[in-house]
Amino acid sequence: MSETTVAVLGTGLMGAPMARNLLDAGFGVRAWNRSRSKAEPLAEHGALVFDTPSEAVAGADVVITMLSDGPATSDVLFNQDVAGAMKPGAIVVDMGSIKPAEAKDHAERLAQNSLLYIDAPVSGGTRGAEEGSLAIMAGGEASVFEAAEPVLQAMGRPVHVGPSGSGQLAKLCNQVIVAITIGCVAEAMLLMERNGGDPAKLRDALKGGFADSTILQQHGERMTTGNFVPGGLSRLQVKDLDNALEVMAQANLRLPMAELTRERFDRLVSELDGGELDHSALYLELLDINGLRAES
Amino acid sequence: MSETTVAVLGTGLMGAPMARNLLDAGFGVRAWNRSRSKAEPLAEHGALVFDTPSEAVAGADVVITMLSDGPATSDVLFNQDVAGAMKPGAIVVDMGSIKPAEAKDHAERLAQNSLLYIDAPVSGGTRGAEEGSLAIMAGGEASVFEAAEPVLQAMGRPVHVGPSGSGQLAKLCNQVIVAITIGCVAEAMLLMERNGGDPAKLRDALKGGFADSTILQQHGERMTTGNFVPGGLSRLQVKDLDNALEVMAQANLRLPMAELTRERFDRLVSELDGGELDHSALYLELLDINGLRAES
């Protein structure tokens, strides 16, 4: 058993399996979730479950936040007194997806409380969280990254990409690629289907070639079987793409494909009621603009 | 040594290494290229090199065409009397990228000469051709595919996707994915670079996550190092995307991301003189629309 204690704040679709992997790796886990019912099942696996985040972080060496966005994370850290309840020198590892500027702000404010911080958002979805195979993009001081690395390795493959905020910047790059790749896989699936081809054979044939990707194999299959149980939520793609475009707009730069993809995810969410569907449901938006109805 | 003799018509960037792999696998190879100088080096490895395609195909069991487009292939097959010079029952394996309708037409015309045909375009680029690891998408009769399969296996990983034309349809799907994925990797590289991040660390961090792909690793590196030696030519992306959009337009359907990507590759070729560059040079077009000059 490790002597390192980890608090996990936010045990939803991603946080819960991540906490499970920490428990399996021998870490002591103290869990909190706004809806306590989502944290309760972790107790069976040895986690301590708390009613407030400040109770959960007491004595923890590492505090993982896995919350919906920057304001939610900031609220928990600073308004619900997590920062005040942590032991000096402990590390906040923010694994949620927030803006790079918010991550830098959190790093500065926590430093004033003698607390350390890395931003370490993830890619790989619920499957990656369950398998402990998440891509983890970490920004912050190298020494803090190294201190947190054994904890991160229990959940996936951490890479230190640069100073505070860099992890979130890398995550935005990740999301730009993921969102647009979903869009192009959707177009390929439609092109194949509407001309009498078999999308399953297509995915097999493309394995190992330049067009191959996890998204082609996993999300491509979701599109043709109509399985849009999340996974990654469509509405979060809009948030992530907005954040990427905002970072670029601040530098007077444009990302035309991200812009188009952002518009289409927004349409999926706002007009087609797809916000709670897996992001592979962008296929439904493609069907819709082509006057085709989803067959399910 | 196999007793199967293979004629290879078109020994350019792709065809030459494919012929090498056939020789290494023990097939007898008879080679022809319009510029004979590109076929000559194969003679050192045991190929017979001919001045005309009809001489090259004499006695061959399998005739591979690897030419620039449908009209070039049709010209060689029917105007330069390849069809007339082949032995009855031999198989034409068209591994170039042509339109699905052209592939169906070739199949029908060759059948009238008692010749067999599969369309079997590839993905994987010059590297895949050299390594014998091409994704090979084959359309045609199952029995013809099976007869040609040992030859195809010497060059990569063949998958039978359906009747004549299906291989070319799959290749169009492949190209839609490849072209758009290049575009999104370009946007991610620019987003990372312009905000002080390190694209090499980004590529490392994204390994194994949803954003990962051969294009991220290979073409992403080309973008940040400015190495646009082909590989896959930008001008061929315009041709392939045009073919994909044409197939869809015939069904009154739209692929909005393929349309945007087609416009941008066209601009790279027609305004930025990038037609002979690797398709990863779409990054230069992204720099250009952002008023940034390529630094090389």
Side-chain angles (χ1 to χ4, degrees):
Chain A
M1 290 288 281
S2 163
E3 293 176 21
T4 301
T5 298
V6 183
V8 180
L9 308 181
T11 57
L13 281 175
M14 295 293 292
M18 289 160 68
R20 281 289 306 274
N21 282 319
L22 290 169
L23 288 162
D24 289 348
F27 292 105
V29 171
R30 302 166 65 87
W32 168 81
N33 195 72
R34 197 170 50 176
S35 312
R36 186 182 164 113
S37 62
K38 290 186 184 170
E40 289 291 357
L42 292 167
E44 292 167 32
H45 302 279
L48 300 173
V49 178
F50 296 90
D51 285 325
T52 67
S54 60
E55 288 173 278
V57 304
D61 304 289
V62 172
V63 172
I64 290 172
T65 52
M66 194 63 185
L67 301 161
S68 59
D69 57 19
T73 307
S74 176
D75 180 63
V76 165
L77 289 178
F78 304 111
N79 298 342
Q80 298 191 47
D81 204 29
V82 159
M86 284 176 66
K87 69 179 184 189
I91 306 171
V92 171
V93 181
D94 187 355
M95 302 187 74
S97 293
I98 71 177
K99 297 182 188 187
E102 292 168 333
K104 287 180 208 167
D105 176 61
H106 291 172
E108 286 168 18
R109 292 169 72 182
L110 289 166
Q112 289 164 13
N113 285 31
S114 302
L115 295 169
L116 304 171
Y117 178 87
I118 58 174
D119 49 303
V122 302
S123 174
T126 50
R127 189 182 296 197
E130 283 156 13
E131 293 172 351
S133 64
L134 292 167
I136 302 174
M137 300 150 262
E141 298 279 340
S143 60
V144 181
F145 172 75
E146 282 157 24
E149 202 170 8
V151 171
L152 296 174
Q153 282 169 338
M155 297 174 283
R157 183 173 165 279
V159 175
H160 183 228
V161 294
S164 279
S166 299
Q168 296 296 345
L169 180 63
K171 176 63 191 276
L172 293 182
C173 294
N174 184 85
Q175 291 308 91
V176 163
I177 295 174
V178 167
I180 299 172
T181 304
I182 286 173
C184 71
V185 167
E187 295 195 357
M189 294 294 113
L190 189 67
L191 175 58
M192 194 71 181
E193 272 191 351
R194 291 287 146 175
N195 292 282
D198 179 344
K201 286 187 179 170
L202 174 67
R203 289 194 298 277
D204 186 26
L206 300 193
K207 261 183 203 159
F210 279 157
D212 198 18
S213 64
T214 306
I215 288 177
L216 174 66
Q217 299 301 334
Q218 283 186 24
H219 297 76
E221 185 178 13
R222 282 169 168 276
M223 291 173 197
T224 50
T225 60
N227 169 18
F228 301 119
V229 178
L233 290 172
S234 292
R235 64 176 165 79
L236 297 182
Q237 284 290 2
V238 180
K239 180 194 79 165
D240 290 334
L241 290 170
D242 276 341
N243 286 343
L245 293 170
E246 182 182 309
V247 164
M248 290 303 274
Q250 285 161 359
N252 279 323
L253 294 174
R254 292 187 52 208
L255 301 177
M257 298 180 71
E259 286 166 22
L260 173 62
T261 308
R262 187 258 171 224
E263 279 171 31
R264 296 184 49 208
F265 269 111
D266 187 53
R267 195 167 162 268
L268 173 64
V269 172
S270 60
E271 294 181 32
L272 302 175
D273 203 24
E276 301 303 317
L277 299 180
D278 186 73
H279 45 188
S280 51
L282 189 62
Y283 186 66
L284 300 179
E285 196 271 348
L286 179 63
L287 291 180
D288 187 78
I289 62 175
N290 278 296
L292 303 167
R293 298 297 299 264
E295 295 143 23
S296 61
Chain B
M1 289 291 281
S2 161
E3 291 175 24
T4 302
T5 298
V6 183
V8 180
L9 307 181
T11 56
L13 281 174
M14 296 293 293
M18 289 160 68
R20 281 290 305 274
N21 283 319
L22 290 168
L23 287 162
D24 289 349
F27 292 105
V29 171
R30 301 167 66 87
W32 168 82
N33 195 72
R34 195 170 50 177
S35 311
R36 185 182 164 114
S37 62
K38 290 186 183 168
E40 288 290 359
L42 292 167
E44 292 168 32
H45 303 279
L48 299 174
V49 178
F50 295 90
D51 284 325
T52 67
S54 60
E55 289 172 276
V57 303
D61 304 289
V62 172
V63 172
I64 290 173
T65 52
M66 194 63 186
L67 301 162
S68 58
D69 57 20
T73 307
S74 175
D75 179 63
V76 166
L77 289 177
F78 303 110
N79 298 341
Q80 299 191 47
D81 203 30
V82 160
M86 285 175 65
K87 68 179 181 187
I91 306 171
V92 171
V93 181
D94 187 356
M95 303 188 75
S97 293
I98 70 177
K99 298 183 187 188
E102 292 168 332
K104 287 180 209 167
D105 177 60
H106 292 172
E108 286 167 19
R109 293 170 72 182
L110 289 166
Q112 290 164 12
N113 286 31
S114 302
L115 295 169
L116 305 171
Y117 178 86
I118 58 173
D119 48 304
V122 302
S123 174
T126 50
R127 191 182 296 196
E130 284 157 13
E131 293 172 352
S133 63
L134 293 167
I136 302 174
M137 299 149 262
E141 298 280 339
S143 60
V144 182
F145 171 75
E146 282 157 25
E149 201 170 7
V151 171
L152 295 174
Q153 282 169 338
M155 296 175 283
R157 183 174 164 278
V159 175
H160 183 226
V161 294
S164 279
S166 298
Q168 296 296 346
L169 181 64
K171 176 62 190 278
L172 293 183
C173 294
N174 183 85
Q175 291 308 90
V176 163
I177 294 175
V178 167
I180 299 173
T181 305
I182 286 174
C184 72
V185 166
E187 295 195 357
M189 294 293 113
L190 189 67
L191 175 58
M192 195 70 182
E193 273 191 351
R194 290 286 146 175
N195 292 282
D198 178 342
K201 286 186 179 169
L202 174 67
R203 289 194 297 276
D204 186 27
L206 301 193
K207 261 182 202 160
F210 279 157
D212 199 18
S213 64
T214 306
I215 288 177
L216 175 66
Q217 299 300 335
Q218 283 186 25
H219 297 75
E221 185 177 13
R222 281 170 168 276
M223 292 173 197
T224 50
T225 60
N227 170 18
F228 300 120
V229 178
L233 290 173
S234 293
R235 65 176 164 79
L236 296 183
Q237 284 290 0
V238 180
K239 179 194 78 165
D240 290 334
L241 290 169
D242 275 342
N243 286 342
L245 293 170
E246 181 183 310
V247 164
M248 290 303 273
Q250 285 160 359
N252 278 322
L253 294 174
R254 290 188 51 208
L255 302 178
M257 298 179 72
E259 286 165 22
L260 173 61
T261 307
R262 187 258 172 225
E263 280 170 31
R264 294 184 51 207
F265 269 111
D266 187 54
R267 197 168 160 267
L268 172 63
V269 171
S270 60
E271 295 182 31
L272 302 174
D273 202 23
E276 301 302 318
L277 299 180
D278 186 73
H279 45 188
S280 52
L282 189 63
Y283 187 66
L284 301 179
E285 196 272 350
L286 180 63
L287 291 180
D288 186 77
I289 62 174
N290 277 294
L292 303 166
R293 298 297 299 265
E295 295 142 24
S296 61

PDB file of all heavy atoms in Angstrom, chain B residues 188-205:
ATOM      1  N   ALA B 188      -4.330  22.364 -34.770  1.00  0.00           N
ATOM      2  CA  ALA B 188      -3.817  22.065 -33.425  1.00  0.00           C
ATOM      3  C   ALA B 188      -2.353  22.491 -33.294  1.00  0.00           C
ATOM      4  O   ALA B 188      -1.945  23.050 -32.267  1.00  0.00           O
ATOM      5  CB  ALA B 188      -3.972  20.574 -33.131  1.00  0.00           C
ATOM      6  N   MET B 189      -1.555  22.243 -34.333  1.00  0.00           N
ATOM      7  CA  MET B 189      -0.139  22.635 -34.294  1.00  0.00           C
ATOM      8  C   MET B 189      -0.029  24.159 -34.160  1.00  0.00           C
ATOM      9  O   MET B 189       0.775  24.678 -33.386  1.00  0.00           O
ATOM     10  CB  MET B 189       0.582  22.189 -35.581  1.00  0.00           C
ATOM     11  CG  MET B 189       0.699  20.690 -35.772  1.00  0.00           C
ATOM     12  SD  MET B 189       1.763  19.849 -34.570  1.00  0.00           S
ATOM     13  CE  MET B 189       0.543  18.878 -33.695  1.00  0.00           C
ATOM     14  N   LEU B 190      -0.862  24.880 -34.914  1.00  0.00           N
ATOM     15  CA  LEU B 190      -0.812  26.346 -34.863  1.00  0.00           C
ATOM     16  C   LEU B 190      -1.273  26.865 -33.507  1.00  0.00           C
ATOM     17  O   LEU B 190      -0.664  27.782 -32.929  1.00  0.00           O
ATOM     18  CB  LEU B 190      -1.681  26.939 -35.983  1.00  0.00           C
ATOM     19  CG  LEU B 190      -1.546  28.454 -36.172  1.00  0.00           C
ATOM     20  CD1 LEU B 190      -0.156  28.820 -36.683  1.00  0.00           C
ATOM     21  CD2 LEU B 190      -2.612  28.993 -37.135  1.00  0.00           C
ATOM     22  N   LEU B 191      -2.357  26.285 -32.987  1.00  0.00           N
ATOM     23  CA  LEU B 191      -2.870  26.664 -31.663  1.00  0.00           C
ATOM     24  C   LEU B 191      -1.800  26.473 -30.591  1.00  0.00           C
ATOM     25  O   LEU B 191      -1.597  27.345 -29.731  1.00  0.00           O
ATOM     26  CB  LEU B 191      -4.116  25.818 -31.366  1.00  0.00           C
ATOM     27  CG  LEU B 191      -4.793  25.923 -30.002  1.00  0.00           C
ATOM     28  CD1 LEU B 191      -5.239  27.354 -29.709  1.00  0.00           C
ATOM     29  CD2 LEU B 191      -6.012  24.986 -29.944  1.00  0.00           C
ATOM     30  N   MET B 192      -1.092  25.360 -30.651  1.00  0.00           N
ATOM     31  CA  MET B 192      -0.058  25.075 -29.649  1.00  0.00           C
ATOM     32  C   MET B 192       1.112  26.045 -29.803  1.00  0.00           C
ATOM     33  O   MET B 192       1.550  26.667 -28.834  1.00  0.00           O
ATOM     34  CB  MET B 192       0.415  23.622 -29.811  1.00  0.00           C
ATOM     35  CG  MET B 192       1.217  23.066 -28.639  1.00  0.00           C
ATOM     36  SD  MET B 192       0.205  22.805 -27.152  1.00  0.00           S
ATOM     37  CE  MET B 192       1.455  22.207 -25.991  1.00  0.00           C
ATOM     38  N   GLU B 193       1.596  26.184 -31.030  1.00  0.00           N
ATOM     39  CA  GLU B 193       2.785  27.017 -31.277  1.00  0.00           C
ATOM     40  C   GLU B 193       2.555  28.477 -30.936  1.00  0.00           C
ATOM     41  O   GLU B 193       3.427  29.139 -30.354  1.00  0.00           O
ATOM     42  CB  GLU B 193       3.165  26.947 -32.758  1.00  0.00           C
ATOM     43  CG  GLU B 193       4.076  25.811 -33.117  1.00  0.00           C
ATOM     44  CD  GLU B 193       4.634  25.963 -34.528  1.00  0.00           C
ATOM     45  OE1 GLU B 193       4.168  26.855 -35.275  1.00  0.00           O
ATOM     46  OE2 GLU B 193       5.515  25.184 -34.872  1.00  0.00           O
ATOM     47  N   ARG B 194       1.408  29.007 -31.335  1.00  0.00           N
ATOM     48  CA  ARG B 194       1.171  30.449 -31.192  1.00  0.00           C
ATOM     49  C   ARG B 194       0.859  30.836 -29.760  1.00  0.00           C
ATOM     50  O   ARG B 194       0.659  32.016 -29.461  1.00  0.00           O
ATOM     51  CB  ARG B 194       0.026  30.887 -32.115  1.00  0.00           C
ATOM     52  CG  ARG B 194       0.402  30.838 -33.575  1.00  0.00           C
ATOM     53  CD  ARG B 194       1.331  31.975 -33.943  1.00  0.00           C
ATOM     54  NE  ARG B 194       2.280  31.546 -34.969  1.00  0.00           N
ATOM     55  CZ  ARG B 194       3.156  32.373 -35.550  1.00  0.00           C
ATOM     56  NH1 ARG B 194       3.190  33.652 -35.220  1.00  0.00           N
ATOM     57  NH2 ARG B 194       4.006  31.914 -36.435  1.00  0.00           N
ATOM     58  N   ASN B 195       0.725  29.843 -28.880  1.00  0.00           N
ATOM     59  CA  ASN B 195       0.485  30.139 -27.472  1.00  0.00           C
ATOM     60  C   ASN B 195       1.631  29.636 -26.600  1.00  0.00           C
ATOM     61  O   ASN B 195       1.457  29.377 -25.414  1.00  0.00           O
ATOM     62  CB  ASN B 195      -0.851  29.551 -27.036  1.00  0.00           C
ATOM     63  CG  ASN B 195      -2.008  30.265 -27.712  1.00  0.00           C
ATOM     64  OD1 ASN B 195      -2.373  31.363 -27.302  1.00  0.00           O
ATOM     65  ND2 ASN B 195      -2.544  29.678 -28.765  1.00  0.00           N
ATOM     66  N   GLY B 196       2.787  29.531 -27.225  1.00  0.00           N
ATOM     67  CA  GLY B 196       3.996  29.238 -26.459  1.00  0.00           C
ATOM     68  C   GLY B 196       4.212  27.779 -26.130  1.00  0.00           C
ATOM     69  O   GLY B 196       5.096  27.446 -25.343  1.00  0.00           O
ATOM     70  N   GLY B 197       3.404  26.894 -26.712  1.00  0.00           N
ATOM     71  CA  GLY B 197       3.560  25.469 -26.423  1.00  0.00           C
ATOM     72  C   GLY B 197       4.525  24.802 -27.382  1.00  0.00           C
ATOM     73  O   GLY B 197       4.911  25.380 -28.394  1.00  0.00           O
ATOM     74  N   ASP B 198       4.880  23.573 -27.064  1.00  0.00           N
ATOM     75  CA  ASP B 198       5.830  22.814 -27.862  1.00  0.00           C
ATOM     76  C   ASP B 198       5.072  21.709 -28.600  1.00  0.00           C
ATOM     77  O   ASP B 198       4.610  20.745 -27.984  1.00  0.00           O
ATOM     78  CB  ASP B 198       6.887  22.201 -26.931  1.00  0.00           C
ATOM     79  CG  ASP B 198       7.906  21.350 -27.691  1.00  0.00           C
ATOM     80  OD1 ASP B 198       7.635  20.955 -28.845  1.00  0.00           O
ATOM     81  OD2 ASP B 198       8.970  21.082 -27.111  1.00  0.00           O
ATOM     82  N   PRO B 199       4.922  21.843 -29.930  1.00  0.00           N
ATOM     83  CA  PRO B 199       4.153  20.844 -30.682  1.00  0.00           C
ATOM     84  C   PRO B 199       4.710  19.430 -30.551  1.00  0.00           C
ATOM     85  O   PRO B 199       3.939  18.473 -30.614  1.00  0.00           O
ATOM     86  CB  PRO B 199       4.256  21.335 -32.130  1.00  0.00           C
ATOM     87  CG  PRO B 199       4.541  22.793 -32.025  1.00  0.00           C
ATOM     88  CD  PRO B 199       5.391  22.945 -30.790  1.00  0.00           C
ATOM     89  N   ALA B 200       6.014  19.285 -30.352  1.00  0.00           N
ATOM     90  CA  ALA B 200       6.578  17.925 -30.218  1.00  0.00           C
ATOM     91  C   ALA B 200       6.076  17.274 -28.933  1.00  0.00           C
ATOM     92  O   ALA B 200       5.710  16.096 -28.910  1.00  0.00           O
ATOM     93  CB  ALA B 200       8.098  17.980 -30.233  1.00  0.00           C
ATOM     94  N   LYS B 201       6.032  18.073 -27.851  1.00  0.00           N
ATOM     95  CA  LYS B 201       5.500  17.526 -26.590  1.00  0.00           C
ATOM     96  C   LYS B 201       4.004  17.259 -26.699  1.00  0.00           C
ATOM     97  O   LYS B 201       3.487  16.314 -26.103  1.00  0.00           O
ATOM     98  CB  LYS B 201       5.785  18.495 -25.436  1.00  0.00           C
ATOM     99  CG  LYS B 201       7.250  18.470 -25.014  1.00  0.00           C
ATOM    100  CD  LYS B 201       7.482  19.314 -23.775  1.00  0.00           C
ATOM    101  CE  LYS B 201       8.950  19.238 -23.363  1.00  0.00           C
ATOM    102  NZ  LYS B 201       9.264  20.241 -22.319  1.00  0.00           N
ATOM    103  N   LEU B 202       3.326  18.101 -27.461  1.00  0.00           N
ATOM    104  CA  LEU B 202       1.896  17.860 -27.682  1.00  0.00           C
ATOM    105  C   LEU B 202       1.686  16.501 -28.345  1.00  0.00           C
ATOM    106  O   LEU B 202       0.861  15.701 -27.902  1.00  0.00           O
ATOM    107  CB  LEU B 202       1.307  18.965 -28.566  1.00  0.00           C
ATOM    108  CG  LEU B 202      -0.151  18.754 -28.987  1.00  0.00           C
ATOM    109  CD1 LEU B 202      -1.080  18.846 -27.775  1.00  0.00           C
ATOM    110  CD2 LEU B 202      -0.575  19.762 -30.049  1.00  0.00           C
ATOM    111  N   ARG B 203       2.440  16.259 -29.407  1.00  0.00           N
ATOM    112  CA  ARG B 203       2.267  14.972 -30.107  1.00  0.00           C
ATOM    113  C   ARG B 203       2.542  13.804 -29.171  1.00  0.00           C
ATOM    114  O   ARG B 203       1.847  12.791 -29.208  1.00  0.00           O
ATOM    115  CB  ARG B 203       3.179  14.912 -31.339  1.00  0.00           C
ATOM    116  CG  ARG B 203       2.732  15.830 -32.459  1.00  0.00           C
ATOM    117  CD  ARG B 203       3.436  15.491 -33.767  1.00  0.00           C
ATOM    118  NE  ARG B 203       4.864  15.677 -33.682  1.00  0.00           N
ATOM    119  CZ  ARG B 203       5.507  16.826 -33.852  1.00  0.00           C
ATOM    120  NH1 ARG B 203       4.822  17.923 -34.124  1.00  0.00           N
ATOM    121  NH2 ARG B 203       6.811  16.897 -33.764  1.00  0.00           N
ATOM    122  N   ASP B 204       3.558  13.954 -28.334  1.00  0.00           N
ATOM    123  CA  ASP B 204       3.872  12.893 -27.381  1.00  0.00           C
ATOM    124  C   ASP B 204       2.724  12.713 -26.384  1.00  0.00           C
ATOM    125  O   ASP B 204       2.299  11.587 -26.097  1.00  0.00           O
ATOM    126  CB  ASP B 204       5.172  13.234 -26.652  1.00  0.00           C
ATOM    127  CG  ASP B 204       5.643  12.095 -25.756  1.00  0.00           C
ATOM    128  OD1 ASP B 204       5.319  10.930 -26.061  1.00  0.00           O
ATOM    129  OD2 ASP B 204       6.326  12.367 -24.760  1.00  0.00           O
ATOM    130  N   ALA B 205       2.211  13.828 -25.887  1.00  0.00           N
ATOM    131  CA  ALA B 205       1.158  13.757 -24.860  1.00  0.00           C
ATOM    132  C   ALA B 205      -0.124  13.137 -25.410  1.00  0.00           C
ATOM    133  O   ALA B 205      -0.858  12.477 -24.679  1.00  0.00           O
ATOM    134  CB  ALA B 205       0.874  15.150 -24.309  1.00  0.00           C
TER     135      ALA B 205
END
